[in-house]
Every structure is written in structure tokens, then in C-alpha cells.
Amino acid sequence: MTFAATVLTLYPEMFPGPLGVSMAGRALERGDWSCEAVQIRDFATDRHRTVDDTPAGGGAGMVLKADVLAAAVDRVRADGPARPMLALTPRGAPITQARIREIAEGPGIALLCGRFEGFDERLFEGRPFIEQVSLGDIVLSGGEPAAIAILDACIRLLPGVMGAPSSGVEESFEDDLLEYPHYTRPQEWEGRTIPEVLRSGDHAKIAAWRKARAEEDTRLRRPDLWERYSNARAQPASGARHDKEGPGT
Ligand code: SAH
């Protein structure tokens, strides 16, 4: 099945861009995914093909018009398969690996890229199916690099795209933990050696070391993830709790 990606943008020439190269590029050639870029400006109705206007209330920059955006969004909704539509904005909830995984298991994705100061807010009131997502607490000049990042994250999870099937599951964020650190040959570099346990051949010991390092690094580097991870472990699933509290125990 082909994962259908549609990007709504003022710069369609940016796609597939870097996704035409390497693993994603080969997957595109094979037809594992498709990439359609829709020019938002094509949905402007005036002679000058205007897509933006000055912000109500004053201030710097320009705002993308709700009527033009809605026309583009409605066309993509009507034409393509039913699939999630994400608008890229720093005001959105940070995208998560869990959401990426859900999307990658579906028929595809539509991505709406902002420019200038962003979108007229009424677009999101009038089209509540649009999810507002952010790539993180940084400000880009446009949604396109964020769309490329999100597409890349989806494409690598599509069946057959990644080399080893297991390389997708043991990774950072899958368990609210960062991944453990990696090492490779040479055994000694600038006087630094690879942790001895990794050369022991003892798979149980290696797994335990990796788990401990993943927990340690998450605790030190990402207190936000660490809190979620520790809470989840402190409160067993409702079924387990029910068993413990059930009659006769
Ligand atoms: N005035 C806005 C920033 C606009 S940046 C604000 O302060 O919230 C222009 C466009 O770049 C946005 O409309 C959005 O599509 C994109 N963009 C910028 N930063 C982003 C981020 N962290 N995540 C996703 N998209 C982003």
C-alpha cells in the first residue's frame, strides 16, 4: 500500500527535496509512499492571487488568509483518501513518536505549512479536524522544514523501508526513554575504551546495562520524559491494580 503524503505550501518546489535522496528516496521510487505538493496560492481568488493580509490589531508581518487556506484544505480533503491533516505551527502540541507511529500505520498524511506570521486562527475553528503540531520550541521561517522532518519520521517506519525490522522498535521515545549510547570499533580511540560489558557476549548483562544507561541518561537529560516514565512504572495498569485489590487478596 502506498502511504499518500500531500503538502500544502507556498513553496511546492521544496518537495520531495531531501526526501528524494537515500532511504526515503528509494522508498519513493519503489512506490512505498507518494508525495504531492499543492500550491496554496492556486486557491486565491483575486487577480493578484493574494494569500496573506496584515494582522488585525496591528503588528509586524503578514497573516495567511483563512478563506484561501480553507479552499486548499477542502480540496485536499475531498480529493485524497481520508487521512490526518496536520498544520505546522509553534503554537501546536509538540509532535510525538507515538503520533508518528499511528500516522505511519494509516493511509497517509496531509501537512499544511505556514509562512510569515502564520495562519488566521479562524481556520482551526472552522476546520476542527486539523491538528496543530509543532516540531519543538524553536521558530522556523516556514512550515516546510517541519513537514519534511515529520514525513521523514513516518516514511522510515513504513513496512520494508528500514533495513532491519527491529531498528524501529528499540529506539528513543518508544518507552518514554532515550536510547542507550552506542559504540563501535576501534576498541580504543584516543585512549578511551568501549565499556567492557558490551564485549562480554553476555546478552542478559548487556541488556541490563543498556536499560540502566537509558534510564540514567533520560533522568539527567530529559526530566520531562523521566517523570512520565517513573509515573507509569509507579502506577501499574488498572487491570493489575484491580487484581491486587480484588477480594481474597
Ligand atoms: N508568528 C508565529 C511564528 C511564525 S513562523 C509564532 O510566533 O508562533 C512561520 C511559519 O513557520 C509558521 O506558520 C509555521 O508553519 C512554521 N513554523 C515555525 N516554527 C515552527 C515549529 N516550531 N514547528 C512547526 N512549524 C513551525
Side-chain angles (χ1 to χ4, degrees):
M1 201 182 65
T2 300
F3 181 83
T6 298
V7 185
L8 297 91
T9 169
L10 289 171
Y11 298 96
E13 65 274 23
M14 287 193 183
F15 295 88
L19 299 176
V21 181
S22 186
M23 205 167 66
R26 287 193 296 276
L28 185 59
E29 274 171 30
R30 278 198 305 270
D32 292 341
W33 69 290
S34 65
C35 186
E36 175 198 23
V38 171
Q39 171 57 273
I40 294 170
R41 198 174 294 281
D42 289 347
F43 296 86
T45 48
D46 66 327
R47 209 158 49 87
H48 303 291
R49 305 217 300 157
T50 308
V51 295
D52 57 345
D53 208 335
T54 53
M62 299 294 273
V63 177
L64 289 168
K65 286 160 58 64
D67 52 344
V68 177
L69 291 167
V73 162
D74 292 347
R75 169 71 64 81
V76 167
R77 275 282 272 198
D79 285 359
R83 56 203 162 144
M85 183 176 290
L86 277 57
L88 288 322
T89 163
R91 285 169 43 83
I95 186 94
T96 63
Q97 184 64 14
R99 184 68 186 121
I100 293 284
R101 197 168 275 287
E102 276 170 14
I103 293 171
E105 282 167 8
I109 187 173
L111 292 153
L112 176 59
C113 301
R115 280 273 154 180
F116 321 124
E117 291 308 317
F119 311 100
D120 183 320
E121 185 65 16
R122 292 170 297 176
L123 175 72
F124 304 119
E125 295 162 14
R127 300 294 181 274
F129 55 83
I130 300 176
E131 289 170 49
Q132 299 180 60
V133 301
S134 164
L135 204 59
D137 293 344
I138 57 171
V139 180
L140 304 166
S141 58
E144 291 80 5
I148 285 170
I150 287 171
L151 278 176
D152 179 89
C154 291
I155 292 161
R156 64 189 285 283
L157 295 180
L158 299 178
V161 171
M162 209 153 28
S166 69
S167 44
V169 285
E170 253 208 26
E171 244 152 1
S172 291
F173 313 118
E174 291 301 341
D175 211 6
D176 280 333
L177 285 179
L178 301 177
E179 200 188 41
Y180 49 81
H182 293 287
Y183 301 87
T184 188
R185 280 178 286 271
Q187 164 58 16
E188 186 178 329
W189 173 75
E190 294 192 348
R192 294 163 198 278
T193 55
I194 294 173
E196 203 48 49
V197 57
L198 297 180
R199 305 210 309 150
S200 67
D202 183 335
H203 295 296
K205 248 165 81 181
I206 292 172
W209 180 88
R210 286 179 165 168
K211 179 81 182 285
R213 273 304 298 265
E215 291 184 344
E216 166 93 348
D217 290 351
T218 305
R219 187 170 60 78
L220 293 174
R221 299 175 179 199
R222 291 292 303 272
D224 55 328
L225 291 181
W226 179 246
E227 198 186 328
R228 255 207 330 248
Y229 175 77
S230 341
N231 285 345
R233 281 195 316 170
Q235 296 170 354
S238 57
R241 203 165 46 234
H242 184 255
D243 285 344
K244 273 199 217 122
E245 291 165 3
T249 59

